[in-house]
Amino acid sequence: MFPPIPLAFLLTTKMVESIRELPKFLSSYEITSTGGMNFARAPWNNPALNALIDMCKAMRKGVKNYGLVHGNGGIGEIQGVAILERMYNK
């Protein structure tokens, strides 16, 4: 089960062209690490901040150079996106 707002985000941004493409995309990419507000159980758990922290941890451990965190105002009325780039110590 996936939260509906991130699925709508994938369609609106054309990351997937149709609903039929969602299963293949979701099997290839992790789209939620925290489960969002519904699975965190309350808005005061700050799911967007938790997702940002999880993404930073995952990028530090892994080999991915980019990450995206999508947050919404609970029922999708206000949305924000943060695109992260992994920086290497030189």
Side-chain angles (χ1 to χ4, degrees):
M1 177 176 211
F2 295 95
I5 300 301
L7 296 178
F9 178 82
L10 293 173
L11 290 164
T12 302
T13 58
K14 303 291 186 199
M15 293 176 80
V16 293
E17 292 294 323
S18 73
I19 291 172
R20 290 185 187 97
E21 293 179 16
L22 283 170
K24 183 178 179 184
F25 184 90
L26 295 172
S27 69
S28 301
Y29 299 98
E30 182 178 357
I31 68 160
T32 182
S33 60
T34 63
M37 187 166 56
N38 293 337
F39 299 112
R41 298 287 181 233
W44 51 85
N45 288 333
N46 206 341
L49 177 60
N50 288 337
L52 185 61
I53 292 167
D54 283 352
M55 180 63 72
C56 289
K57 287 179 181 177
M59 290 176 70
R60 291 182 96 179
K61 290 180 186 175
V63 296
K64 301 292 184 191
N65 291 326
Y66 297 95
L68 183 142
V69 175
H70 171 247
N72 68 69
I75 56 173
E77 76 277 6
I78 299 171
Q79 300 187 40
V81 174
I83 299 173
L84 307 175
E85 180 180 15
R86 181 178 171 153
M87 302 299 289
Y88 297 94
N89 293 332
K90 294 181 180 186

